[in-house]
Amino acid sequence: MSIVEFRKVTKTFGNVVVLDEVDLSVEDAEVVVLIGPSGSGKSTLLRCINALEEINGGDLVVDGISVREGRARVRLIRQEAGMVFQQFNLFPQMTALDNVAFGPRHVRGTSRAEALEQARELLGKVGLADRGHHYPAELSGGQQQRVAIARALAVKPKLMLFDEPTSALDPELRQEVLRVMRSLAEEGMTMIVVTHEMAFARQVGTRLIFMENGKISVDGDPAALLANPENPRLREFLQHVH
Amino acid sequence: MEFEWSVIVGALPALLGGARLTVLIALAGLIGGLIVGLVTGLMRAYGNRLLNGIAFAYVEIIRGTPIVVQVMFIYFALPVMADIRVNPMTAAVTAIVINAGAYIAEIVRGSFLSVHKGLREAGLALGLPMWKVLVYIIGPVAFRRMIPPLGNQFIVSLKDTSLFIVIGVGELTRQGQEIMAANFRAVEIWTAVAVLYLIMTGTLTFLLRLTEKRMRIL
């Protein structure tokens, strides 16, 4: 069974249709890269998966649970679908270490000592072993985003959602975040990534989806699509991105 | 005219007794007002239509009427209307709790809603229930932002206790009034009363500064 399955999902904001009967299945260990012009619905599609946005029509099943099953069940989905935000959204009153240890302690009921030990390990994994006692305000954007990735991973999700994770970063800081994401993909993590990083899509992505006006208009192999975009709108879009 | 220090020395025991009562009413009022304000402020910010409506009505009624009218209502009108008899002290504390609560509710609402919504989403995305997001993530950030306006409200409420002179609570202003009526030393007595208020509000300001220094505003 697919880990994420959209069945004719519709999402509207007032009169605006943001997702228009979207069908999409994502399998284990896929790295799906979502691209498209702003307003095409790619961020909304991502945010529907962990129910930060409520869908208006159709059904959306994540890890066997429908987003329509109610609040308690939605929390189970969120525990299995870690999210990384464009603006990092680290908890400012906590150190990097406490940010990462927070989820396991309060969601999984892990003991403080164990959660901190695991947090240290995860910070090491994202290359920030020596930054554990710093507050978010004392870290660079790239460092904050890596802490945010560690925070999401700490809850041991089956799936990771990335909402433009490098868009708020300077070019030289993007690479350190993309490196972490790449190694995560190499470990077999299922990932859905909204991004404008075409090099990442080509090298790490297993699947590229191009969205337009709330619909998926192209879905295929990233390398092939980027080398030879037959869809004229995709071709035009790629010219603007490069 | 001569400033007679001896008048102040003679009046001091009674004035200090009044100040003690002022502190007591203010303290009870601030603790109670903080609890009432926290609950109604959160009802305003995150409640459904019904809870929000109740809290809104409370805030509007209290903010829209003078505190003197409120305490008169509790002390004189409530016994007639509902056969509830209260002593002046109870009426005073109730009035200050209800009054401060309404203003603090707006402080709480504003502070919580001023916290970047990304933090709420980050908490929810981890799989936390909303109450944990409020208690552990938004609350601590909002609390730091509440300190300056809360300080303002604390000082206003402390001084508002002087209005309870109208129902005969023997707080500081009332004590001053009574001594003045006996010896007509207006300059000495009102100077002493003013200085005592300044000492109390100054202590409050100092305590708030200390709290603010220990917690960085985020």
Side-chain angles (χ1 to χ4, degrees), chain A residues 3 28 63 75-83 99-105 107-111 114-122 125 148-161 184 187 189-190, chain B residues 125-127:
Chain A
I3 185 152
D28 252 345
D63 195 30
R75 283 207 295 276
L76 295 179
I77 292 180
R78 288 172 175 160
Q79 289 170 23
E80 300 305 335
M83 188 166 217
N99 262 281
V100 181
F102 185 84
R105 286 184 64 197
V107 174
R108 300 282 195 206
T110 314
S111 74
E114 198 182 325
L116 284 174
E117 183 51 44
Q118 190 203 333
R120 260 178 225 112
E121 217 170 281
L122 278 166
K125 190 172 150 179
I149 293 173
R151 175 179 67 180
L153 289 174
V155 187
K156 299 195 164 69
K158 292 180 181 158
L159 164 74
M160 285 284 284
L161 310 171
L184 206 54
E187 287 168 26
M189 175 61 81
T190 312
Chain B
L126 286 174

Side-chain angles (χ1 to χ4, degrees), chain A residues 62-103:
Chain A
V62 182
D63 195 30
I65 304 170
S66 162
V67 295
R68 314 198 97 161
E69 283 178 42
R71 244 185 266 177
R73 301 281 286 167
V74 159
R75 283 207 295 276
L76 295 179
I77 292 180
R78 288 172 175 160
Q79 289 170 23
E80 300 305 335
M83 188 166 217
V84 175
F85 300 86
Q86 181 176 355
Q87 298 294 340
F88 329 134
N89 296 342
L90 291 179
F91 309 134
Q93 73 273 34
M94 301 178 202
T95 61
L97 206 56
D98 286 329
N99 262 281
V100 181
F102 185 84

Side-chain angles (χ1 to χ4, degrees), chain A residues 12-34:
Chain A
T12 56
F13 289 116
N15 293 329
V16 184
V17 179
V18 187
L19 294 180
D20 189 2
E21 301 202 341
V22 169
D23 282 307
L24 171 67
S25 294
V26 176
E27 308 299 323
D28 252 345
E30 274 193 301
V31 177
V32 179
V33 176
L34 275 174

Side-chain angles (χ1 to χ4, degrees), chain A residues 147-209:
Chain A
V147 174
I149 293 173
R151 175 179 67 180
L153 289 174
V155 187
K156 299 195 164 69
K158 292 180 181 158
L159 164 74
M160 285 284 284
L161 310 171
F162 292 86
D163 190 3
E164 304 206 26
T166 57
S167 296
L169 298 175
D170 292 335
E172 66 264 34
L173 298 179
R174 288 182 183 164
Q175 292 314 316
E176 62 189 52
V177 172
L178 291 172
R179 253 198 308 277
V180 170
M181 290 170 63
R182 177 195 294 254
S183 72
L184 206 54
E186 282 163 2
E187 287 168 26
M189 175 61 81
T190 312
M191 295 164 60
I192 305 179
V193 186
V194 173
T195 188
H196 299 290
E197 304 279 353
M198 292 307 144
F200 177 84
R202 188 184 305 110
Q203 294 159 14
V204 184
T206 60
R207 187 169 165 192
L208 185 72
I209 289 177

Side-chain angles (χ1 to χ4, degrees), chain A residues 47 50 52 75 78-79 81-83 85 87 89-94 102-103 106-107 135 138 151-152 155, chain B residues 116-130 132-133 135-141 144 216 218:
Chain A
R47 291 162 57 84
N50 65 354
L52 284 183
R75 283 207 295 276
R78 288 172 175 160
Q79 289 170 23
M83 188 166 217
F85 300 86
Q87 298 294 340
N89 296 342
L90 291 179
F91 309 134
Q93 73 273 34
M94 301 178 202
F102 185 84
H106 290 278
V107 174
Y135 285 90
E138 302 163 352
R151 175 179 67 180
V155 187
Chain B
H116 180 47
K117 83 177 192 343
L119 290 186
R120 183 174 102 168
E121 291 188 345
L124 290 177
L126 286 174
L128 293 169
M130 189 60 192
K132 276 196 175 188
V133 173
V135 170
Y136 294 107
I137 299 171
I138 301 179
V141 178
R144 290 159 162 86
R216 298 166 310 134
L218 300 165

